[in-house]
Amino acid sequence: MAAADKIVAVTGGHFAPAYSVTKALISRGSPVLFFGRASVFEDGKDRSLEKETISPLTNVQFISLDAPRITSFVSIFRFITACFEVFKIFILHRPSKIISFGGYVSFPVCIVGYILFIPIFLHEQTIMPGKANTILARFAKKIFVSFPEALNFFPRHKTMCIGNPLRERYEVHQKPLWYPKTDKPLLLILGGSSGSHSLNLLIKPLISELSKKYCLIHQIGDSSYGDYEDLRHQTSKSYI
């Protein structure tokens, strides 16, 4: 990697804005240490979206971190182990700052960063902040939120509402060719990478009834569950 004073550590459970910021950092010449999960679940069978997406990027080192929710003595041991792993990496690379997007994977990264006097910047994507950002806020130099309502949960003197970082390809200036010509209200259905599967199971038996009133645009999500193959045969013209 390049000079240590340019390296930025990125972590957190909200991958979409983390990825957008990572791409922006790369474009500005800053190497990135990306701390994330290698697999969707703890059994390690399915590679995570962040692992699949971040690993091929140039000037980014993806670091798989086993950072659990603190629910038992075993999880406390795993958390301490994760902190030691982060400590060794930080001593080696000396990142200039940490940008965290919430979630339990961010805990050891930010705690070790605070001990090593590395500035921490948080971004909260939701109206109701998660536990990770709520706790880590006391260690952060600056906190950014997506919604004005979230300002009430953090110290006002170091919190700013900036919205959600978006990738360039989301800046669409005209309707795509597949966009339906319909008088029905549009209903967008989408979920997170692994969470989308539960949503797909819920929506499947409702598609026929919903498409009588709405035009459904369904982003199916992670392909490892076979949801696309299962739902692609829906015959309604109001289901995309």
Side-chain angles (χ1 to χ4, degrees):
M1 283 190 163
D5 61 343
K6 289 186 176 181
I7 295 175
V8 178
V10 178
T11 187
H14 292 266
F15 177 65
Y19 178 71
S20 302
V21 170
T22 297
K23 292 280 285 185
L25 289 168
I26 296 170
S27 69
R28 289 163 173 77
S30 295
V32 174
L33 296 171
F34 193 101
F35 292 85
R37 301 171 301 169
S39 58
V40 177
F41 301 111
E42 292 187 5
D43 59 17
K45 293 180 180 179
D46 298 314
R47 282 174 39 120
S48 66
L49 177 64
E50 56 241 60
K51 173 74 172 178
E52 295 282 355
T53 308
I54 293 294
S55 294
L57 296 179
T58 303
N59 223 18
V60 179
Q61 181 178 344
F62 181 88
I63 300 165
S64 175
L65 194 62
D66 180 21
R69 294 182 176 89
I70 306 298
T71 58
S72 64
F73 177 79
V74 174
S75 63
I76 293 174
F77 177 77
R78 288 170 56 197
F79 174 80
I80 294 173
T81 301
C83 286
F84 275 109
E85 292 177 4
V86 174
F87 182 83
K88 290 188 291 185
I89 293 168
F90 278 2
I91 291 298
L92 177 63
H93 293 288
R94 290 289 179 178
S96 60
K97 60 181 67 69
I98 297 168
I99 305 176
S100 174
F101 293 86
Y104 55 89
V105 73
S106 67
F107 255 103
V109 178
C110 291
I111 293 298
V112 173
Y114 181 75
I115 293 172
L116 295 177
F117 302 101
I118 301 172
I120 300 168
F121 299 86
L122 302 183
H123 185 273
E124 176 55 53
Q125 299 76 36
T126 64
I127 292 176
M128 294 289 292
K131 289 183 179 180
N133 275 348
T134 302
I135 295 172
L136 293 172
R138 68 191 66 183
F139 307 120
K141 181 176 182 179
K142 196 76 177 177
I143 304 161
F144 304 102
V145 298
S146 295
F147 298 96
E149 293 87 344
L151 291 168
N152 298 321
F153 295 91
F154 299 107
R156 286 298 184 97
H157 69 280
K158 61 178 180 179
T159 305
M160 181 185 301
C161 183
I162 64 168
N164 237 340
L166 296 177
R167 284 175 270 177
E168 289 182 0
R169 69 178 186 177
Y170 288 138
E171 297 177 2
V172 179
H173 301 289
Q174 63 182 21
K175 293 180 180 178
L177 295 176
W178 56 263
Y179 196 84
K181 295 179 180 179
T182 178
D183 294 327
K184 292 180 180 179
L186 293 179
L187 178 59
L188 177 63
I189 304 167
L190 72 163
S193 54
S194 59
S196 61
H197 177 58
S198 299
L199 184 60
N200 295 340
L201 293 176
L202 177 66
I203 289 296
K204 182 181 177 181
L206 303 176
I207 290 174
S208 177
E209 192 64 29
L210 286 173
S211 46
K212 293 176 182 178
K213 184 177 180 180
Y214 301 98
C215 181
L216 310 178
I217 298 178
H218 188 180
Q219 178 181 290
I220 292 175
D222 198 308
S223 62
S224 60
Y225 300 98
D227 289 346
Y228 176 74
E229 290 75 13
D230 187 31
L231 293 168
R232 64 182 297 188
H233 303 296
Q234 293 288 333
T235 56
S236 173
K237 294 181 179 180
S238 293
Y239 178 72
I240 300 174

